[in-house]
Amino acid sequence: MEWETVIGLEIHVQLATKSKIFSGASTAFGAAANTQACAIDLAMPGTLPVANEEAFRFAVMFGLAMNSEIGKRSVFERKNYFYPDLPKGYQTTQLEEPIVGPGVTNIELADGSQRAVRLHHAHLEEDAGKSLHEDYQGMSGIDLNRAGTPLIEIVSEPDMRSAEEAVAYLKKIHSIITYLGISDGEMSQGSMRCDANVSVRLKGEEKLGNRCEIKNINSFKFVEKAIKVEAERQIEIIEDGGKIAQETRLYDADKNETRSMRSKEVANDYRYFPCPDLLPVILDDDYIETIRRTLPELPDAKLNRFVSEYDLSSYDAAVLTTDRVTADFFETAAKVSNEPKLAANWVMVDLAGYLNKSDTKLGECPFTAEQLAGLIVRIKDGTISGKIAKQVFEGMCNGEGDADSIIEARGLKQVSDTGALEKLVNDVIANNPAQVQNYVSADDSKRPKMLGFFVGQIMKASKGQANPQAVNEILLKKLNEQ
Amino acid sequence: MHTKTIAQLADALRSKEITSVELTQHFLDRIAALDSHYNSFITVTPDIALAQARAADERLAAGDTSPLCGIPIAHKDIFCTQDVRTSCGSKMLDTFIAPYNATIVENYLKAGAVMLGKTNMDEFAMGSSNETSYYGPVKNPWNTNCVPGGSSGGSAAAVAALLAPGATASDTGGSIRQPAALCGLTGIKPTYGRVSRWGMIAFASSLDQAGTLTRSAEDAALMLNVMASFDDKDSTCVDQPLEDYTATLNDSLTGLTIGIPEEYFSEGLHPDTAKAVQAAIKTYESLGAKTRSISLPHTHLAVPAYYVIAPAECSANLSRFDGVRYGHRCDAPKDLTDLYKRSRSEGFGDEVKRRILVGTYALSAGYYDAYYNKAQQVRRLIKQDFVDAFKDVDVILGPTSPSPAFEFGSKTQDPVAMYLEDIYTIATNLAGLPGLSIPCGLVDNKPVGLQLIGNYFAEGKLLNVAHQFQLATDFHQQLAPATA
């Protein structure tokens, strides 16, 4: 039997507005508990919400980026339930008339194929506070700093068929929101959180299986692992003759397993109804078109442009455009050096390797894109070889300055002076008579391979600084004279 | 001094006949001496009042022209007052002190008015008799065996007993107009959105509107001039130009068309109340107004629709009272559920619980369409009735409540009988229209209220129509017997 996993994602994204969605309190991350909660966030009696225009603008930007219909009339509703970190006893959210309607986005898969993932809708809502269960001697603390932070909940159709596809979609959403600048997208800080609806069915079956919702997964890696392990769990149950109970589950990263949340929390009747404190928000075409005109270039458009403008492969372009900072870094390096292919390689291989190894973000990189371009120019103009360039790059990563000053300070300048090179070549020929003899007596087809030995000796003697091209020329000439 | 209207007191202050401190002290003394008979105040604030009066006297001396400067008033205890308890008539908020002022409280502060204290009310404004207050029932100054009406019964009794020349109030289904009728006062509920709801503790957000209780339409105009404002802290507040409501008080009624809805004179209306209202119609005709019969065909659906919508909204609005952040918290909760259950069971009274349960039920899965959605549809029909009627008439006239003040306990066992008290007032809240009640006679020595309903933002017209009636009659000058 061949099984198919069916996945839909609900992604919560904190919008990077300066103030909260219904109050003037700051949304900055990391302040002392309850210092960023005003009377409205605390749901003091008599307080009233006022919707934040910036949150609407951000939501419309997202909707346009997803090719979605924009809800010209959107309505906030109250979702009623009691929890200590939900001060009003209801969450203000959207249900029947959300700000963003159906849309679609394409994801690039590892095999080079594409898949369209449809957006069911996206709606604006307020975040809850946080319950803190440690450090209070058996009691619970509540931090309401996060209460009222604007969220956009992005609900996909069940269009993904593997954990890898789900991650690719999640990354796509991440790249769109960061391109738009509407969220910092930091999963580790909770700026982007993901619920995954997972079900399995036999391949070819039309009907969807019973799904389980895995709540609050907070990294790309865990999304992949949680979906995999949940699908395996469901397949095992069905193969053993059991049935999947529709329920909410939590992913335990330490044990790499999902487990059921208390069923009581699932059986809530939220009693949604339109919030009478907030009037329906009406957006006109002018408002939407003004936003459309100010949208930055989005990942798909940038990818296509990188392919055509810089002659990159579609895969390389996809890697470079995953996030805006990387794309901008590459593009600056490519333009300044006028060597887009070299720039792409340096960014994707060496720079990515360094950032990964040192656990550094590109924003904190010790050198600029212009400085990387400076290094590429020095390779291209023959000042240093590709091999020496790796040493210079290391120096740049250590914060030693730009390529020229490192080349100067370390004396890495390539030797191209014919006199000096001739001396090196003569020495090597004189010191290796047997190899010279072999070379001379070999036929033409074997000679190029044998040449490598001499080049290696010469480079070694020059500590890598000899210009390989010039060495080749002189060497050939000298050997032919033998 | 206490028999004077706000307009007369404003003159007395300006002519230096009296100072605000003297006037304030006079009312504080009356409250101290007499309020034990009425229970109209939950909290009296003498120190604050006298400090504000001293400040007002300085402003008056400096030539302040604000008519309310130095005038003592009382605030319904539904309005948040910084540093002074705001209980909303509930045990739940018995110890609650807001760190902010309601916008209307702020408006009166800026105008130089003096706060005497906070008045009693039905718990969370849910009631038509002031019998649901945690602080005990308020007694009607006209007959202390009878209720003053509700939910603004404390404000009404305080003004009727001459313990304050005017008071703020709020009206969700008749909570200003019905007590005005039962206590012989002028009470106005403005258009929904005319007055900010910021800092007014919500009962049913789409229906709640603040207004005033005074002893004349002229005083109501003076009070409303200060209360009305656009407030960007309330998204439902309407950015409508402010007007001076005193400016049109003396407009002639000649050519005015008054609509008399036939549905407001059906069975259930006390025959003597009907007589008093009919006499008022004659008075208006004598003043040059034309009257014509109109129909508001969905009137009979107003009470049922209201008792779905208002409880539905209140069930969510009152969820914040959970014992977690402020307000009543039960002793030694053993877990979270216990904290919620006992804090709310102990903190809320029966009527509040009844409405939370009704509202929760009306919104629950499977019932939402049958109740909440249907009620909203009815609400649109009721609104359309008025929109149609106002194509032909300038104001609508009828009784405010079916009968004069009733005795304590006579309706507490029958919630529906109590709900029918608001049968003539509820529709205006559902439609968001301004409504006003003025005294138009006495039945068994108890006042009868005449209701006037205006078009959207026609408060000026309503007050004009009321003022002209008061120039021609003296019902509004009659004082409750015990006060003289």
Side-chain angles (χ1 to χ4, degrees):
Chain A
M1 283 189 292
E2 203 182 339
W3 293 93
E4 180 175 65
T5 310
V6 177
I7 304 146
L9 296 186
E10 291 170 23
I11 305 168
H12 289 85
V13 172
Q14 278 186 359
L15 296 176
T17 55
K18 283 174 219 72
S19 59
K20 294 186 178 179
I21 186 166
F22 299 123
S23 84
S26 165
T27 53
F29 179 81
N34 294 310
T35 56
Q36 291 182 172
C38 68
I40 297 170
D41 305 322
L42 264 61
M44 298 290 266
T47 60
L48 295 168
V50 175
N52 182 341
E53 193 266 339
E54 198 177 28
F56 275 85
R57 194 154 49 79
F58 284 3
V60 170
M61 286 169 79
F62 176 75
L64 293 173
M66 294 294 281
N67 311 299
S68 286
E69 296 164 24
I70 302 301
K72 288 188 185 165
R73 177 191 146 97
S74 62
V75 173
F76 283 108
E77 306 214 19
R78 294 179 177 180
K79 176 183 181 181
N80 294 283
Y81 65 95
F82 283 99
Y83 206 69
D85 61 21
L86 187 74
K88 295 189 294 292
Y90 55 82
Q91 181 193 28
T92 308
T93 178
Q94 299 182 319
L95 181 73
E96 297 289 338
E97 298 176 83
I99 178 75
V100 175
V104 67
T105 192
N106 285 316
I107 52 172
E108 298 266 337
L109 302 178
D111 65 3
S113 66
Q114 287 200 340
R115 180 187 279 285
V117 178
R118 290 167 302 154
L119 180 73
H120 181 272
H121 79 275
H123 63 259
L124 279 168
E125 62 184 23
E126 58 182 337
D127 209 344
K130 274 185 190 162
S131 295
L132 310 165
H133 299 297
E134 286 153 26
D135 309 329
Y136 294 93
Q137 290 91 34
M139 298 198 290
S140 290
I142 299 161
D143 177 3
L144 293 176
N145 283 354
R146 201 181 66 180
T149 298
L151 295 177
I152 181 160
E153 182 175 335
I154 304 159
V155 182
S156 81
E157 296 284 0
D159 282 352
M160 289 150 277
R161 295 292 175 268
S162 69
E164 290 79 10
E165 288 183 19
V167 171
Y169 167 74
L170 189 61
K171 284 190 169 160
K172 183 67 184 287
I173 296 294
H174 183 268
S175 104
I176 289 173
I177 59 168
T178 49
Y179 265 67
L180 293 172
I182 61 173
S183 174
D184 63 19
E186 291 290 345
M187 290 191 86
S188 59
Q189 293 179 1
S191 298
M192 179 164 159
R193 313 192 284 273
C194 181
D195 303 340
N197 284 295
V198 179
S199 66
V200 297
R201 64 182 173 190
L202 284 175
K203 213 152 196 167
E205 175 72 52
E206 292 243 337
K207 201 167 157 279
L208 290 171
N210 274 354
R211 65 186 153 86
C212 291
E213 182 179 13
I214 316 167
K215 281 273 183 201
N216 261 331
I217 326 175
N218 62 6
S219 81
F220 293 114
K221 196 171 76 188
F222 291 161
V223 167
E224 185 166 350
K225 288 173 120 179
I227 292 172
K228 278 192 170 145
V229 74
E230 173 61 16
E232 283 165 17
R233 184 189 73 87
Q234 293 185 12
I235 291 168
E236 201 169 307
I237 290 173
I238 299 172
E239 285 185 340
D240 289 348
K243 278 193 172 157
I244 304 302
Q246 192 156 322
E247 61 178 358
T248 304
R249 299 178 70 83
L250 280 177
Y251 176 66
D252 182 333
D254 293 336
K255 295 182 182 162
N256 190 33
E257 63 177 30
T258 67
R259 59 165 179 271
S260 185
M261 281 170 75
R262 281 178 301 148
S263 59
K264 236 164 87 179
E265 292 185 26
V266 186
N268 257 327
D269 176 357
Y270 291 120
R271 307 190 311 280
Y272 283 92
F273 76 105
C275 179
D277 286 329
L278 293 159
L279 301 173
V281 174
I282 311 294
L283 304 180
D284 61 22
D285 289 332
D286 273 1
Y287 181 84
I288 295 166
E289 289 314 308
T290 305
I291 292 174
R292 193 193 298 277
R293 281 197 296 276
T294 58
L295 283 184
E297 185 180 38
L298 291 163
D300 286 351
K302 206 180 272 284
L303 188 157
N304 292 333
R305 185 168 64 78
F306 279 10
V307 169
S308 61
E309 199 172 322
Y310 300 121
D311 199 22
L312 300 181
S313 74
S314 173
Y315 177 80
D316 285 0
V319 171
L320 289 169
T321 53
T322 304
D323 71 85
R324 192 170 164 179
V325 185
T326 307
D328 290 349
F329 198 98
F330 156 74
E331 191 156 27
T332 305
K335 278 190 172 151
V336 174
S337 67
N338 205 19
E339 287 293 333
K341 289 214 161 167
L342 275 178
N345 268 330
W346 277 94
V347 171
M348 287 194 308
V349 181
D350 303 277
L351 178 58
Y354 157 71
L355 295 176
N356 197 21
K357 212 167 71 189
S358 60
D359 197 19
T360 310
K361 286 195 190 100
L362 185 49
E364 299 153 4
C365 181
F367 53 86
T368 64
E370 285 82 354
Q371 287 173 331
L372 180 64
L375 174 65
I376 292 167
V377 167
R378 288 295 163 256
I379 301 167
K380 206 60 200 172
D381 69 11
T383 307
I384 51 171
S385 66
K387 204 168 167 191
I388 293 294
K390 307 274 177 192
Q391 288 181 40
V392 178
F393 182 77
E394 239 181 66
M396 289 165 69
C397 292
N398 293 335
E400 292 171 26
D402 63 13
D404 283 350
S405 51
I406 294 169
I407 291 167
E408 183 65 39
R410 293 198 187 180
L412 295 174
K413 201 164 173 187
Q414 190 159 260
V415 182
S416 303
D417 171 63
T418 318
L421 288 179
E422 269 184 10
K423 190 182 173 299
L424 280 170
V425 172
N426 286 338
D427 286 353
V428 168
I429 286 175
N431 291 338
N432 297 283
Q435 279 82 355
V436 173
Q437 198 50 51
N438 281 344
Y439 180 88
V440 172
S441 54
D443 56 43
D444 281 357
S445 64
K446 287 184 179 160
R447 279 183 171 182
K449 208 172 167 190
M450 299 173 80
L451 202 64
F453 165 77
F454 298 103
V455 175
Q457 292 296 309
I458 294 161
M459 294 309 285
K460 199 170 160 189
S462 74
K463 291 179 188 136
Q465 284 170 259
N467 181 333
Q469 227 174 339
V471 166
N472 254 329
E473 276 170 32
I474 297 167
L475 185 63
L476 274 173
K477 200 176 103 201
K478 296 272 173 190
L479 283 173
N480 288 340
E481 284 169 3
Q482 295 294 317
Chain B
M1 192 55 65
H2 49 273
T3 58
K4 286 189 192 301
T5 63
I6 291 173
Q8 290 163 342
L9 291 173
D11 287 343
L13 285 168
R14 256 164 208 80
S15 64
K16 309 227 175 353
E17 194 182 318
I18 193 167
T19 66
S20 177
V21 168
E22 288 164 349
L23 188 60
T24 300
Q25 189 61 56
H26 179 71
F27 280 106
L28 288 171
D29 290 345
R30 280 185 63 80
I31 294 167
L34 300 169
D35 197 40
S36 55
H37 301 308
Y38 311 115
N39 195 29
S40 65
F41 280 86
I42 291 173
T43 305
V44 184
T45 52
D47 294 344
I48 291 172
L50 290 168
Q52 290 175 350
R54 279 190 291 275
D57 280 333
E58 284 172 26
R59 282 174 60 169
L60 286 165
D64 192 298
T65 55
S66 169
L68 286 196
C69 188
I71 303 287
I73 58 169
H75 286 305
K76 185 176 181 179
D77 209 18
I78 199 169
F79 298 108
C80 288
T81 43
Q82 197 169 342
D83 304 331
V84 175
R85 171 176 65 175
T86 301
S87 74
C88 220
S90 180
K91 178 180 179 182
M92 184 59 86
L93 292 179
D94 186 41
T95 58
F96 175 69
I97 295 173
Y100 45 84
N101 279 324
T103 296
I104 68 124
V105 169
E106 200 64 35
N107 288 351
Y108 284 114
L109 264 178
K110 284 188 195 132
V114 172
M115 179 176 81
L116 293 168
K118 310 287 297 286
T119 58
N120 205 344
M121 57 183 284
D122 278 305
E123 184 178 8
F124 285 104
M126 298 176 198
S128 304
S129 67
N130 226 297
E131 292 168 287
T132 72
S133 170
Y134 172 64
Y135 301 92
V138 176
K139 290 168 185 167
N140 191 323
W142 288 82
N143 180 336
T144 51
N145 293 321
C146 288
V147 305
S151 66
S152 310
S155 288
V159 177
L162 308 182
L163 306 183
T168 59
S170 70
D171 190 317
T172 305
S175 283
I176 292 173
R177 290 158 291 159
Q178 186 252 15
L182 271 49
C183 291
L185 300 175
T186 299
I188 182 164
K189 176 204 96 74
T191 308
Y192 183 79
R194 172 75 287 181
V195 174
S196 170
R197 294 189 297 115
W198 172 264
M200 177 170 79
I201 298 177
F203 158 19
S205 314
S206 75
L207 300 159
D208 297 342
Q209 187 67 187
T212 63
L213 283 161
T214 54
R215 297 207 333 276
S216 73
E218 185 186 17
D219 283 4
L222 291 168
M223 287 277 284
L224 195 58
N225 274 349
V226 173
M227 180 180 265
S229 64
F230 173 67
D231 183 5
D232 56 16
K233 294 208 290 285
D234 173 4
S235 308
T236 61
C237 209
V238 180
D239 195 358
Q240 175 88 0
L242 294 174
E243 45 188 304
D244 177 2
Y245 296 116
T246 62
T248 47
L249 287 175
N250 291 311
D251 288 0
S252 160
L253 299 190
T254 307
L256 184 86
T257 307
I258 300 176
I260 317 288
E262 55 198 44
E263 291 82 2
Y264 284 33
F265 294 85
S266 55
E267 59 175 320
L269 179 63
H270 192 293
D272 291 337
T273 299
K275 258 188 230 165
V277 174
Q278 293 297 348
I281 293 171
K282 291 276 174 276
T283 303
Y284 273 115
E285 286 169 347
S286 73
L287 292 172
K290 286 178 290 194
T291 58
R292 59 186 286 178
S293 179
I294 60 166
S295 176
L296 299 169
H298 296 97
T299 297
H300 65 291
L301 297 175
V303 170
Y306 176 89
Y307 278 100
V308 170
I309 292 168
E313 291 183 12
C314 103
S315 73
N317 281 335
L318 271 61
S319 291
R320 66 188 61 199
F321 305 111
D322 56 6
V324 174
R325 296 167 313 286
Y326 52 78
H328 179 71
R329 177 186 285 190
C330 67
D331 277 337
K334 63 178 196 296
D335 57 25
L336 183 60
T337 308
D338 187 44
L339 168 75
Y340 285 151
K341 280 189 176 170
R342 281 201 287 131
S343 298
R344 288 170 66 82
S345 297
E346 295 164 9
F348 291 139
D350 287 348
E351 183 59 27
V352 171
K353 285 177 196 162
R354 176 164 26 242
R355 296 197 194 191
I356 290 173
L357 289 173
V358 167
T360 303
Y361 181 82
L363 289 174
S364 60
Y367 297 99
Y368 180 85
D369 285 336
Y371 291 108
Y372 185 80
N373 257 352
K374 189 61 77 181
Q376 290 291 10
Q377 287 166 1
V378 168
R379 184 176 188 171
R380 284 191 284 275
L381 293 174
I382 287 167
K383 180 177 170 177
Q384 194 56 48
D385 281 358
F386 283 106
V387 169
D388 292 342
F390 280 117
K391 287 174 187 160
D392 301 321
V393 303
D394 299 307
V395 294
I396 293 170
L397 178 154
T400 304
S401 63
S403 55
F406 47 93
E407 293 192 356
F408 288 102
S410 62
K411 296 188 181 183
T412 44
Q413 296 310 307
D414 183 354
V416 175
M418 189 71 90
Y419 296 168
L420 289 173
E421 265 299 297
D422 297 328
I423 188 164
Y424 305 127
T425 49
I426 271 175
T428 54
N429 297 80
L430 290 170
L433 291 164
L436 167 155
S437 180
I438 48 175
C440 70
L442 291 176
V443 171
D444 300 333
N445 281 320
K446 291 185 285 195
V448 174
L450 176 75
Q451 182 177 215
L452 296 165
I453 300 166
N455 211 337
Y456 296 101
F457 298 101
E459 286 81 5
K461 174 62 73 185
L462 276 185
L463 290 163
N464 162 230
V465 173
H467 181 66
Q468 291 303 307
F469 185 81
Q470 291 181 342
L471 289 178
T473 61
D474 65 355
F475 301 114
H476 65 294
Q477 288 170 348
Q478 292 172 353
L479 298 177
T483 59

